[in-house]
Every structure is written in C-alpha cells, then in structure tokens.
Amino acid sequence: MNSSPCAAPSAPTANRTTRPLLGPSWFAAVMGTGIVANAAVTLPWSFSGLRTAAMVVWLGAVLLLILLAVGYLRQRALRLHAGDPVMAQFFGAPPMALLTVGAGTLLLGRRLIGLEAALDVDWVLWSLGTVLGLVTACTVPYLMVTRHRFAPDAAFGGWLMPVVPPMVSAATGALLVPHTPAGQPRLALLLGCYAMLGLGLVAALLVLAMIYGRLVHHEAPTGTVVPTVWIGVGALGQSVTALGALAAVAPSTLPVPYARGTAVFALLGGIVVWGFAMLWLVLAAGLTVRTIRAGLPFAPTWWSFIFPVGACVTATSALAARTGSKPFVWTAVVLYALLVIAWVVVAGRSLCHAAGYIRRRPVAGHARRRPVRAELRRAATVLRGTVRAGADGRPVSEARVTLLDPAGDVVGMTLTGKDGSYAFADLEGDRYTVVAAGYPARATPLAFDGSGQDFDLTLAHEEG
C-alpha cells in the first residue's frame, strides 16, 4: 500500500520532530553541476574562456559533493530512506555524483593537479561510484519487488535513478580505458563497460515502458513529480554518450573487425536512440510547461532538468564528432546554452532554499528547549488522519506513515494506532507529501508433511 496525497496545513507552528533529514535526491545537484562542466569539454565548438569557466564549475561540484556526503553520512538515515518506496529510488544519485565528479577530474582537474593525480582520483571515484551504482541497480529493484507496495499509477521518472548509474559508469569508464595496462586488464575494462551499458539501457527501456503506460492510462503527473519525467531523456542520452565514448577507445583493445563494428553501432544505434530521446524530451517539455502554468513548487526534483539535458548535450556532441553533421553541431550548442540557463535558475533556487533552511535552524532549536504542556501539544497537531485498506475501508494498524516536505526531505515518521489513526504535530504551514506503507512482505521456508499443521507468520517493520 503506497499513497502520496498532499496536505496543506493552515496554521504555522514549530516542528516537534527533528529538523528535516537530508535526502539522497540532493546529490542530483552534484550530478547537474558536474555535467555542466563536463559537457563543455565535449562541445564541437570551443569558446574563449569556456574551459576556465567549466573548471570553476567543476570545483563547485567537488565542494558540493564533499558537503553532501559528510552531511548525509552523519545523519545515519540509510535504512530509513531504504524503507521509503519513494526516497529509495534516489539512491542512484550518490554514485552518479561520484562518477560525474571523477570524470571532471580527468577532463578538467588535471590542469590543476596534474595528469597522474587526476588519474588516481578518477580511478578511486569511478571504482567507488561503479560499485555503489551496481549495488543500487540490484538492491532497489529487489526492495521494490519484495518490500515495497505500489499502486497501479505509482510509476514515475524516479524509478530510472537506480538503473542509470551503470550507464554512467560505462561512459566515464571509457575515459580510463587508454590509461589501463594493455592486454587483459584493458580488455576487461572495455567489455565490462559494454556489459554495464547493456544492463542500464535494457533496464531503463523497461522502466520507460512502465512510465509511459502510467502516463497514458492514468492522470498526468502534477507538481514536483513532473521534473522526474526528464530523467528518461538523461537515460537515453547517457546511452548514446557511452556508445560513442566506448567506440572511440575500442580500436586500442579489440581486433579491427570488432572495433569497426563498435563504430557502426555507435553511429547507427546512437542516432536511433537519440531520436527516441528527442521524442521523450518534447513530451517532458510539454508536461513541464503545462505544470508551470498551474504552479510548480521548488523541490530537489528540479535538478532532474539539469543532468538529462547535459546528457543530451554530450550525446549530440558525440554524434556531431562522429558524423560532422552541422545540424548536430548546432543542436549541441543550443542545448548547452539552455543547460547553462536552467542550471543558473535551479542552483539559485537551491541556494535560496538552503539559506532559508539555515535561518530557521536557530529558531527551531530554541523552540525545542522550551517546555510545552500536553494540552498545547494536542492543540498544535495540525495534520492527522486514518489509513484504511480494502473496499470496506477498514483501518490499518501499525502502518508506517512518512511525511515529506516540498523538497522531498523526511520531516517525520510514525506508525498508525489500532484504529489506523496517525498524527503529526508542530508543523510549519507548507505543502507536504504523506506516504503510507504497510508491512513489508516476509517469506519463510516450510516443510509440509501432508498430515496437517499450523504455521504462523509475524509481520513487522524493520528498525529505522
């Protein structure tokens, strides 16, 4: 059981829970900032001062990665987010952030720290990002199948996040192939990158089919979910980028016939997938314009605009370099200009959100130190309800209810009472998302001898 209605409390109060937890979705800010820098290197046209500006942006991505990694690890919320069917999807963002920054180190950072140091850093970040990405690509779908429960209209662009990291590993791993010892090590890296490309691309196409089915058979998404539709553009663009990057380094490893085959595959397959990516881009843009007219509140999902467009830039640049086609060249330049504009807007809104969050922290701290009488606590409860299930609307006890703020961060979590009721107190006036989930499934082996026996099962939530 999984639902996500929005509630807008009318009376502003303090928050009885701790300050909102930092969600893994914020690592998309590192991905977006890093792709702005990396895409500048791939452009078919070189502008005066562009690489210097890209290096500054890359340094910002490095700093942001360090701050977010430290902040996320300190709060120890991994299991809490893994139990949330929505938040768990964004575990793909941290490994992609590592991979993006690592690639930027080799493309741009070597001007500052030298080639050898840049290679060492990239190897570490690529290895860590690849391992985390493969773990995410396997673990999150497993949790979706065995632990989480979804409504028929639950599919959204965030479902792509766990399966895209292997494709990013393939594209960024191609940069390391020429620096790998010749022979079996280099061959293993190249073939491994192709395998990860296949893993991510096939899984992404399956998820895109589910998302398209959700869009066609149910109401169009609204609010902060809409930007996640753009993630499909990023998945397709990243596959084209990987095909081009791997084909460029294949001649140093594969025999001539197979190396030529990778070039043909990169060109023909890349153009086919690029065409599909443009279709999805138009669909995502139409839904976004429709939502902006109705009002689009800020959330970390706004960063879903950035990395996908950056992946389109790198994909289009790869096709431009391989074909020499002027339309591809102009398309890459125009897309990069739009990417920079979008990045400035989203980064500015993110900084305003962070500044407001920092300003509110001291006030919340003083509020927690003041004694509050029980009757005042009851009066301050501004969000309550009942979780029900089945056609008869029977109450569900001990269902886990999670409250998310507009930025997608966890504000509070509680279990329903015997009557299915839940309540969140001391909330600030804002828009929230309420996610209700029942017990995760439990499988226990049973040997049945045919003579008849009783077998009880106990369902329970894991400790948060």
Side-chain angles (χ1 to χ4, degrees):
M1 177 177 56
N2 177 30
S3 58
S4 301
C6 288
S10 58
T13 60
N15 193 345
R16 72 170 172 84
T17 59
T18 58
R19 62 187 177 89
L21 294 174
L22 178 69
S25 56
W26 278 109
F27 283 89
V30 181
M31 297 164 49
T33 304
I35 199 69
V36 170
N38 296 351
V41 181
T42 68
L43 281 178
W45 280 3
S46 180
F47 302 95
S48 176
L50 182 60
R51 280 188 172 251
T52 301
M55 185 170 59
V56 173
V57 174
W58 167 76
L59 289 173
V62 173
L63 177 61
L64 187 58
L65 174 62
I66 295 173
L67 293 176
L68 289 177
V70 172
Y72 188 78
L73 292 176
R74 287 182 60 184
Q75 65 187 9
R76 299 180 182 178
L78 183 64
R79 296 186 66 183
L80 176 66
H81 289 153
D84 188 288
V86 175
M87 195 66 67
Q89 305 301 324
F90 294 96
F91 278 143
M96 284 192 282
L98 293 169
L99 295 167
T100 305
V101 171
T105 304
L106 192 55
L107 293 172
L108 297 163
R110 60 183 178 183
R111 296 175 60 186
L112 290 178
I113 61 177
L115 179 59
E116 293 299 324
L119 276 173
D120 292 338
V121 172
D122 191 18
W123 270 115
V124 171
L125 294 180
W126 184 84
S127 300
L128 183 58
T130 298
V131 171
L132 289 178
L134 291 174
V135 170
T136 300
C138 297
T139 302
V140 174
Y142 176 80
L143 291 175
M144 295 174 68
V145 172
T146 61
R147 299 292 182 89
H148 302 155
R149 292 295 176 265
F150 299 95
D153 61 345
F156 75 114
W159 284 15
L160 288 163
M161 291 294 288
V163 299
V164 172
M167 281 195 288
V168 181
S169 292
T172 55
L175 298 174
L176 294 170
V177 170
H179 303 283
T180 305
Q184 289 299 317
R186 184 179 297 181
L187 179 62
L189 178 59
L190 180 66
L191 297 181
C193 287
Y194 268 111
M196 289 189 289
L197 171 60
L199 183 160
L201 179 57
V202 173
L205 291 176
L206 292 175
V207 176
L208 284 171
M210 289 187 282
I211 296 173
Y212 186 74
R214 179 254 185 272
L215 294 175
V216 171
H217 296 294
H218 301 277
E219 292 185 3
T222 58
T224 56
V225 176
V226 172
T228 64
V229 179
W230 287 79
I231 300 176
V233 181
L236 297 170
Q238 194 62 223
S239 66
V240 178
T241 302
L243 284 173
L246 292 172
V249 298
S252 66
T253 305
L254 296 178
V256 174
Y258 298 107
R260 291 175 179 174
T262 62
V264 174
F265 188 32
L267 176 59
L268 300 183
I271 291 177
V272 169
V273 177
W274 185 88
F276 182 33
M278 294 301 103
L279 169 64
W280 201 270
L281 185 148
V282 172
L283 175 62
L287 290 173
T288 302
V289 171
R290 176 177 180 270
T291 305
I292 290 176
R293 291 177 177 176
L296 179 60
F298 175 77
T301 54
W302 276 35
W303 284 100
S304 301
F305 296 128
I306 309 303
F307 190 85
V309 177
C312 278
V313 173
T314 58
T316 308
S317 297
L319 292 175
R322 191 162 293 277
T323 62
S325 171
K326 292 297 182 181
F328 278 129
V329 172
W330 281 105
T331 302
V333 173
V334 171
L335 285 174
Y336 187 75
L338 295 175
L339 170 66
V340 173
I341 294 172
W343 176 74
V344 170
V345 173
V346 176
R349 291 297 301 270
S350 299
L351 290 174
C352 291
H353 175 82
Y357 172 68
I358 293 173
R359 284 196 300 269
R360 289 195 299 266
R361 284 182 60 185
V363 177
H366 289 301
R368 285 195 295 270
R369 286 194 291 268
R370 292 199 303 266
V372 182
R373 296 194 303 272
E375 59 270 19
L376 292 181
R377 285 188 179 274
R378 288 194 296 270
T381 299
V382 294
L383 180 60
R384 59 163 61 91
T386 302
V387 176
R388 302 181 185 276
D392 56 351
R394 62 186 181 279
V396 179
S397 63
E398 294 190 8
R400 175 175 286 173
V401 182
T402 306
L403 188 67
L404 307 177
D405 66 7
D409 297 327
V410 177
V411 174
M413 178 179 291
T414 186
L415 299 180
T416 57
K418 294 182 179 179
D419 58 352
S421 64
Y422 69 90
F424 292 99
D426 301 336
L427 298 174
E428 296 180 355
D430 207 339
R431 292 184 61 84
Y432 295 92
T433 299
V434 181
V435 180
Y439 288 117
R442 179 178 181 179
T444 304
L446 172 64
F448 184 63
D449 57 11
S451 60
Q453 65 185 83
D454 296 331
F455 185 76
D456 297 329
L457 285 173
T458 302
L459 298 179
H461 292 287
E462 292 184 358
E463 295 295 330

